[in-house]
Amino acid sequence: MFHFDRDLHIPEIDLWIDSTHVKPFGFVSHAHSDHLARHKKILCTPATKAFALQRIKNPHTFLTLNFGEELSIGDYQISLHPAGHILGSAQILLSKNGQRLLYSGDFRISDSPVAEAFEFVQADVLIMETTFGKPHYKMPPRTEVEAELIDLCHSALKQGKTPVVFGYSLGKGQEALKILTDAGLPVEVDESIARFLPVFEEHGIHFADYRIFNPNHWGDAVVLLPTHFRFQRFYRNLANSYTIYLSGWGMDPDAKYRFGVDKVLPLSDHADYEQLFQLVETVKPSEVYCTHGFPEFVQDLNAAGFKAAVLE
Ligand SMILES: [Zn+2]
């Protein structure tokens, strides 16, 4: 049903899956830039289309599918299902003659206040991302991580320091904004994160008051910035701050040195090790192919009795 040569391809309907090279017809699972290209025709959810329009210039045409809606192309039935990674992120299910192929894309099973809840789908073949496929990537419950984030920001402000929180401009940024503003903290958010908020509002995800960050004049609030701002001059000159980076890699003891911050909190938009296993155990595929991860995870799946391989 599929072919893989650097990119995932469904030859019979010439559909490319999450290719970063321009193709005639491509499925984009979500609007992170490592999954996005200016394909001539893009298959995606309406939210992914809205984000993609802010990220790529002169896109060609979109074919949008709502979650659960079915599309027929040739002998194939196609449907999209929430992946829980960021708003609009989708798994794609392709069926032909009763044979079902599921591609997870980036996914997260635990709930997020800014993304649709993950949906389990049955399939015969599963192609899945395995970013956190080592046992020590067992993320603490998100309520704990949220409480720690709020606490750290409160106590920094109390000590007269500026809490600076770093997250990706799409997904983690809005997730942090929601957590911080719902907790009643004053927040200044960078425009690169704020520009996506109207799409969230259109999807019924609302945010309390916040201010737009101004690098020349700021203070008395939590500052929420995209991750690459760590390399900007105003940030390097910053004194009296407490810096927090939001990432599942926070489970690694050396993460704060790697990211150059005071604290890395494991607020992740990817499945942790247990959720990766939970996906395979629930989907019960006869074959699993793993991408974006550690080869050890494939060995762990095989040891647990699944027929797994690295997608290559
Ligand atoms: Zn992603």
Side-chain angles (χ1 to χ4, degrees):
M1 241 171 142
F2 72 89
H3 180 256
F4 184 80
D5 179 11
R6 288 188 307 153
D7 276 324
L8 185 56
H9 187 216
I10 310 297
E12 287 176 299
I13 53 174
D14 196 24
L15 174 65
W16 295 84
I17 302 211
D18 270 350
S19 174
T20 50
H21 306 100
V22 175
K23 303 290 184 187
F25 183 28
F27 165 64
V28 173
S29 67
H30 64 290
H32 279 155
S33 42
D34 54 338
H35 294 256
L36 194 55
R38 287 179 52 222
H39 308 304
K40 294 221 160 38
K41 186 159 72 171
I42 293 178
L43 172 66
C44 65
T45 62
T48 297
K49 175 185 172 181
F51 293 137
L53 284 170
Q54 298 196 38
R55 291 210 135 160
I56 50 177
K57 292 195 182 90
N58 310 316
H60 295 269
T61 48
F62 285 91
L63 177 57
T64 56
L65 265 189
N66 291 310
F67 290 125
E69 200 180 332
E70 209 162 83
L71 168 74
S72 294
I73 303 179
D75 294 336
Y76 282 75
Q77 278 78 51
I78 299 173
S79 56
L80 306 183
H81 304 270
H85 174 57
I86 64 168
L87 185 68
S89 64
Q91 312 170 73
I92 184 168
L93 180 70
L94 298 132
S95 314
K96 185 198 170 188
N97 302 332
Q99 186 73 11
R100 296 158 304 174
L101 169 69
L102 179 68
Y103 168 79
S104 72
D106 289 357
F107 75 99
R108 161 175 56 179
I109 294 174
S110 54
D111 285 344
S112 155
V114 294
E116 301 89 351
F118 182 88
E119 183 189 329
F120 285 102
V121 180
Q122 299 299 298
D124 306 290
V125 177
L126 170 64
I127 301 174
M128 65 186 291
E129 66 104 346
T130 58
T131 306
F132 289 117
K134 279 187 180 177
H136 77 277
Y137 295 114
K138 181 193 176 328
M139 312 293 170
R142 68 167 297 126
T143 48
E144 251 173 53
V145 183
E146 283 184 15
E148 193 176 359
L149 174 63
I150 292 163
D151 264 10
L152 289 170
C153 290
H154 270 304
S155 58
L157 286 171
K158 213 180 276 174
Q159 293 164 39
K161 291 183 180 176
T162 301
V164 181
V165 178
F166 293 104
Y168 284 120
S169 58
L170 176 57
K172 209 72 70 72
Q174 294 77 20
E175 192 159 348
L177 182 65
K178 178 96 180 119
I179 295 166
L180 296 166
T181 51
D182 281 359
L185 280 154
V187 181
E188 295 182 355
V189 60
D190 187 65
E191 175 58 33
S192 59
I193 295 171
R195 72 188 177 120
F196 293 114
L197 292 172
V199 181
F200 287 82
E201 296 278 351
E202 278 162 28
H203 284 77
I205 298 162
H206 303 294
F207 298 83
D209 287 346
Y210 56 86
R211 299 193 295 266
I212 296 296
F213 170 69
N214 175 352
N216 301 312
H217 177 76
W218 48 299
D220 279 347
V222 182
V223 172
L224 178 53
L225 303 176
T227 53
H228 66 270
F229 269 43
R230 287 173 300 144
F231 309 109
Q232 294 206 355
R233 192 189 321 179
F234 83 87
Y235 170 67
R236 292 204 305 267
N237 294 341
L238 187 74
N240 210 25
S241 63
Y242 184 83
T243 51
I244 303 166
Y245 192 107
L246 303 175
S247 169
W249 299 113
M251 298 309 291
D252 289 333
D254 66 345
K256 71 175 188 172
Y257 305 107
R258 189 165 19 130
F259 292 115
V261 292
D262 294 311
K263 182 89 182 171
V264 183
L265 282 181
L267 187 81
S268 179
D269 51 18
H270 286 270
D272 71 357
Y273 184 80
E274 288 190 351
Q275 290 177 32
L276 293 174
F277 253 94
Q278 190 187 351
L279 179 69
V280 182
E281 283 163 353
T282 312
V283 173
K284 297 188 187 70
S286 47
E287 289 169 37
V288 188
Y289 297 90
C290 300
T291 67
H292 298 102
F294 303 102
E296 291 92 328
F297 185 70
V298 172
Q299 295 164 15
D300 292 355
L301 282 178
N302 285 321
F306 295 101
K307 190 175 168 227
V310 177
L311 186 67
E312 60 187 4

